[in-house]
Short mmCIF file of all heavy atoms in Angstrom, two decimals:
data_model
loop_
_atom_site.label_atom_id
_atom_site.label_comp_id
_atom_site.label_asym_id
_atom_site.label_seq_id
_atom_site.Cartn_x
_atom_site.Cartn_y
_atom_site.Cartn_z
N PHE A 23 3.83 0.82 -1.66
CA PHE A 23 4.32 2.18 -1.91
C PHE A 23 5.83 2.19 -1.68
O PHE A 23 6.30 1.68 -0.65
CB PHE A 23 3.58 3.12 -0.94
CG PHE A 23 4.06 4.54 -0.90
CD1 PHE A 23 4.46 5.22 -2.05
CD2 PHE A 23 4.08 5.23 0.31
CE1 PHE A 23 4.89 6.53 -1.98
CE2 PHE A 23 4.49 6.55 0.38
CZ PHE A 23 4.91 7.20 -0.77
N GLU A 25 9.00 5.04 -2.02
CA GLU A 25 9.37 6.43 -2.29
C GLU A 25 10.89 6.57 -2.28
O GLU A 25 11.59 5.83 -1.57
CB GLU A 25 8.74 7.30 -1.19
CG GLU A 25 9.08 8.77 -1.30
CD GLU A 25 8.23 9.65 -0.38
OE1 GLU A 25 7.44 9.09 0.43
OE2 GLU A 25 8.35 10.88 -0.46
N LEU A 27 13.27 7.90 -0.54
CA LEU A 27 13.27 8.47 0.82
C LEU A 27 14.12 7.56 1.70
O LEU A 27 13.90 6.34 1.72
CB LEU A 27 11.81 8.53 1.30
CG LEU A 27 11.49 8.58 2.79
CD1 LEU A 27 12.15 9.75 3.48
CD2 LEU A 27 9.98 8.69 2.99
N GLY A 70 4.49 9.97 -2.55
CA GLY A 70 4.98 10.76 -1.48
C GLY A 70 5.42 12.19 -1.82
O GLY A 70 5.30 12.67 -2.96
N CYS A 71 5.84 12.81 -0.76
CA CYS A 71 6.32 14.19 -0.87
C CYS A 71 7.37 14.33 -1.96
O CYS A 71 7.43 15.35 -2.66
CB CYS A 71 6.92 14.63 0.47
SG CYS A 71 5.67 14.82 1.75
N TRP A 95 13.52 15.50 0.61
CA TRP A 95 13.90 15.13 1.98
C TRP A 95 15.27 15.65 2.39
O TRP A 95 15.71 15.35 3.50
CB TRP A 95 13.84 13.61 2.13
CG TRP A 95 12.45 13.09 1.88
CD1 TRP A 95 12.02 12.40 0.79
CD2 TRP A 95 11.31 13.26 2.72
NE1 TRP A 95 10.68 12.12 0.90
CE2 TRP A 95 10.23 12.63 2.08
CE3 TRP A 95 11.10 13.87 3.95
CZ2 TRP A 95 8.95 12.61 2.63
CZ3 TRP A 95 9.82 13.83 4.50
CH2 TRP A 95 8.77 13.21 3.84
N ASN A 175 0.37 15.04 -4.68
CA ASN A 175 0.47 14.32 -3.41
C ASN A 175 0.32 15.30 -2.25
O ASN A 175 0.99 16.34 -2.22
CB ASN A 175 1.83 13.62 -3.28
CG ASN A 175 2.00 12.91 -1.93
OD1 ASN A 175 1.40 11.85 -1.71
ND2 ASN A 175 2.77 13.50 -1.02
N GLU A 176 -0.54 14.99 -1.34
CA GLU A 176 -0.73 15.80 -0.12
C GLU A 176 -0.72 17.30 -0.45
O GLU A 176 0.05 18.08 0.11
CB GLU A 176 0.30 15.44 0.95
CG GLU A 176 0.15 13.98 1.38
CD GLU A 176 0.84 13.58 2.68
OE1 GLU A 176 1.72 14.31 3.15
OE2 GLU A 176 0.47 12.54 3.23
N HIS A 243 -4.98 9.77 2.94
CA HIS A 243 -3.86 9.15 3.64
C HIS A 243 -4.24 9.00 5.10
O HIS A 243 -4.83 9.91 5.68
CB HIS A 243 -2.60 10.02 3.55
CG HIS A 243 -2.02 10.10 2.17
ND1 HIS A 243 -0.87 10.80 1.86
CD2 HIS A 243 -2.43 9.54 1.00
CE1 HIS A 243 -0.62 10.68 0.57
NE2 HIS A 243 -1.55 9.93 0.03
N TYR A 245 -2.27 7.63 8.57
CA TYR A 245 -1.27 6.98 9.42
C TYR A 245 -1.84 6.95 10.83
O TYR A 245 -2.21 8.00 11.37
CB TYR A 245 0.04 7.76 9.39
CG TYR A 245 0.76 7.67 8.06
CD1 TYR A 245 0.65 8.68 7.10
CD2 TYR A 245 1.56 6.57 7.76
CE1 TYR A 245 1.32 8.57 5.88
CE2 TYR A 245 2.22 6.47 6.54
CZ TYR A 245 2.10 7.46 5.61
OH TYR A 245 2.76 7.37 4.41
N GLU A 296 -1.86 5.96 1.11
CA GLU A 296 -0.82 5.70 2.11
C GLU A 296 -1.50 5.35 3.43
O GLU A 296 -2.39 6.08 3.87
CB GLU A 296 0.06 6.94 2.34
CG GLU A 296 0.88 7.33 1.11
CD GLU A 296 1.76 8.57 1.34
OE1 GLU A 296 2.11 8.87 2.49
OE2 GLU A 296 2.07 9.23 0.33
N TRP A 300 3.18 4.82 12.21
CA TRP A 300 4.30 5.76 12.07
C TRP A 300 4.91 5.94 13.46
O TRP A 300 4.50 6.81 14.22
CB TRP A 300 3.80 7.09 11.49
CG TRP A 300 4.88 8.01 11.02
CD1 TRP A 300 6.09 8.25 11.64
CD2 TRP A 300 4.88 8.82 9.84
NE1 TRP A 300 6.82 9.15 10.91
CE2 TRP A 300 6.10 9.52 9.80
CE3 TRP A 300 3.96 9.03 8.82
CZ2 TRP A 300 6.43 10.41 8.78
CZ3 TRP A 300 4.28 9.92 7.80
CH2 TRP A 300 5.50 10.59 7.78
N PHE A 314 12.75 7.68 8.80
CA PHE A 314 11.47 6.97 9.03
C PHE A 314 11.60 5.44 9.13
O PHE A 314 10.59 4.74 9.18
CB PHE A 314 10.44 7.27 7.93
CG PHE A 314 10.11 8.72 7.75
CD1 PHE A 314 9.59 9.18 6.54
CD2 PHE A 314 10.31 9.64 8.77
CE1 PHE A 314 9.28 10.52 6.35
CE2 PHE A 314 10.00 10.99 8.59
CZ PHE A 314 9.50 11.42 7.38
N ALA A 346 2.38 1.97 3.48
CA ALA A 346 3.59 2.78 3.44
C ALA A 346 4.56 2.30 4.53
O ALA A 346 4.17 2.32 5.69
CB ALA A 346 3.24 4.25 3.67
N GLN A 347 5.76 1.92 4.05
CA GLN A 347 6.31 1.77 2.72
C GLN A 347 7.03 0.42 2.63
O GLN A 347 7.25 -0.20 3.65
CB GLN A 347 7.28 2.89 2.39
CG GLN A 347 6.67 4.28 2.47
CD GLN A 347 7.52 5.32 1.72
OE1 GLN A 347 8.38 4.98 0.93
NE2 GLN A 347 7.27 6.59 2.01
N LEU A 352 8.47 3.23 7.13
CA LEU A 352 7.27 3.06 7.95
C LEU A 352 6.61 1.71 7.62
O LEU A 352 6.55 1.33 6.45
CB LEU A 352 6.26 4.17 7.64
CG LEU A 352 6.80 5.60 7.67
CD1 LEU A 352 5.78 6.56 7.08
CD2 LEU A 352 7.16 6.01 9.08
O1 AHR B 501 5.39 8.02 3.72
C1 AHR B 501 6.13 9.14 4.13
C2 AHR B 501 5.47 10.46 3.79
O2 AHR B 501 4.25 10.53 4.45
C3 AHR B 501 5.08 10.65 2.35
O3 AHR B 501 6.11 11.15 1.57
C4 AHR B 501 3.98 11.67 2.44
O4 AHR B 501 3.07 11.59 1.37
C5 AHR B 501 3.36 11.41 3.79
O5 AHR B 501 3.25 12.56 4.53
#
Side-chain angles (χ1 to χ4, degrees):
F23 172 39
E25 178 168 6
L27 158 57
C71 291
W95 299 107
N175 177 75
E176 298 196 343
H243 291 181
Y245 290 98
E296 295 180 25
W300 193 320
F314 303 157
Q347 301 198 15
L352 310 169

